[in-house]
Amino acid sequence: MPGTGFNAAVALPWLRALSARWATTVVDLPGQPGLSDPRRPRRDRLSWYGRVLDEVLAALDADGVVLVGNSLGAAVALAAGSPRIAARALVSPAGFIRLSVNPELAVASAAWLLRPTAESTRRMLRLFVAPGTEPPQIVAEWMALMATCCRTTLAPPPLPAEVLARRAERPCVVGVGEHDRFLPPRRLAPAVRRTMDVDVRVFSGVGHLTTPDHLDEVVSLVAEVAESST
């Protein structure tokens, strides 16, 4: 499950990396820009998305599924409660804590939304990756197009503690970039340890946006939980 503003087409690098090891399906989340259903929930968004994902798994008639979620997609993976789910691999996951937005991020995001030029988009996305790293060109082009044509959604709030406690009953691994400005490891790790009794793996040289150069970290994370769930 991709993150906010992303879809199956933009997630093709993830699909290529994961499908080299496992049968992989990318879920185009409804209400996010793409070819999915245009409906968007107005309240209880994560509960709604969780039910949608449960319906997708039922339609696929798939059992023993390892959910791989990024950002919003990770929160959706946590919200889903289908018995078909064997394990979860969560990358830069929303759903545990509120996302941090410092003044620099807020200004860059506002400029991108008000005037989504190539430069304003790249300026914002540089805050999504590690310092000194340029965001992938295809992501910059997509985000500029999205802001021109669509209205983005806000970051999801944390899930209720009782939901996270139930999800802790299944194997789960969590990874986050050391330079993630939205979910700094120093804030995320204690919350994940408290709610799921899981240690967070910190990806060196990675920000909130996992670029194709670092997808081997994701594959390694998924392999860890896939092996433990079989």
Side-chain angles (χ1 to χ4, degrees), residues 91-106:
V91 180
S92 299
F96 289 104
I97 60 175
R98 292 194 177 278
L99 273 64
S100 300
V101 180
N102 62 26
E104 186 179 13
L105 269 170

Side-chain angles (χ1 to χ4, degrees), residues 171-187:
C172 181
V173 289
V174 179
V176 68
E178 65 170 325
H179 300 291
D180 194 321
R181 295 169 181 258
F182 293 96
L183 299 162
R186 68 179 184 279
R187 290 187 57 231

Side-chain angles (χ1 to χ4, degrees), residues 78 87-91 93 96 164-176 185 187-202 221 224-225 228:
L78 287 166
R88 295 172 175 84
L90 312 177
V91 180
F96 289 104
L164 294 175
R166 290 198 298 271
R167 303 304 178 250
E169 297 170 0
R170 299 284 175 89
C172 181
V173 289
V174 179
V176 68
R187 290 187 57 231
L188 179 65
V192 174
R193 164 56 64 181
R194 183 177 64 254
T195 56
M196 302 281 286
D197 195 27
V198 167
D199 290 325
V200 172
R201 183 189 296 186
V202 179
L221 193 74
E224 180 183 324
V225 77
S228 69

Side-chain angles (χ1 to χ4, degrees), residues 9-229:
V10 185
L12 287 179
W14 287 62
L15 177 61
R16 282 192 289 266
L18 294 170
S19 63
R21 295 278 303 273
W22 307 280
T24 306
T25 299
V26 181
V27 178
D28 230 358
L29 294 177
Q32 297 300 318
L35 298 177
S36 61
D37 192 310
R39 291 175 300 167
R40 179 177 287 176
R42 297 189 178 185
R43 56 182 180 274
D44 298 327
R45 285 187 295 152
L46 286 182
S47 296
W48 186 85
Y49 273 125
R51 291 191 296 271
V52 168
L53 182 52
D54 288 342
E55 292 172 4
V56 169
L57 295 178
L60 289 172
D61 194 22
D63 291 315
V65 174
V66 176
L67 296 181
V68 182
N70 178 223
S71 195
L72 168 65
V76 174
L78 287 166
S82 170
R84 298 173 181 271
I85 301 168
R88 295 172 175 84
L90 312 177
V91 180
S92 299
F96 289 104
I97 60 175
R98 292 194 177 278
L99 273 64
S100 300
V101 180
N102 62 26
E104 186 179 13
L105 269 170
V107 170
S109 297
W112 165 67
L113 289 170
L114 291 171
R115 193 177 181 188
T117 63
E119 182 51 37
S120 67
T121 304
R122 296 192 74 81
R123 189 182 305 120
M124 179 192 68
L125 286 176
R126 288 187 186 109
L127 302 177
F128 283 59
V129 295
T133 303
E134 283 295 313
Q137 179 65 23
I138 190 170
V139 175
E141 292 174 357
W142 168 252
M143 294 294 280
L145 177 64
M146 186 192 72
T148 301
C149 303
C150 307
R151 178 173 58 85
T152 187
T153 56
L154 297 175
L159 286 156
E162 58 270 20
V163 172
L164 294 175
R166 290 198 298 271
R167 303 304 178 250
E169 297 170 0
R170 299 284 175 89
C172 181
V173 289
V174 179
V176 68
E178 65 170 325
H179 300 291
D180 194 321
R181 295 169 181 258
F182 293 96
L183 299 162
R186 68 179 184 279
R187 290 187 57 231
L188 179 65
V192 174
R193 164 56 64 181
R194 183 177 64 254
T195 56
M196 302 281 286
D197 195 27
V198 167
D199 290 325
V200 172
R201 183 189 296 186
V202 179
F203 300 146
S204 177
V206 181
H208 185 70
L209 179 66
T210 303
T211 64
D213 291 340
H214 292 97
L215 284 174
D216 56 334
E217 298 273 15
V218 174
V219 171
S220 175
L221 193 74
V222 176
E224 180 183 324
V225 77
E227 292 166 4
S228 69
S229 64

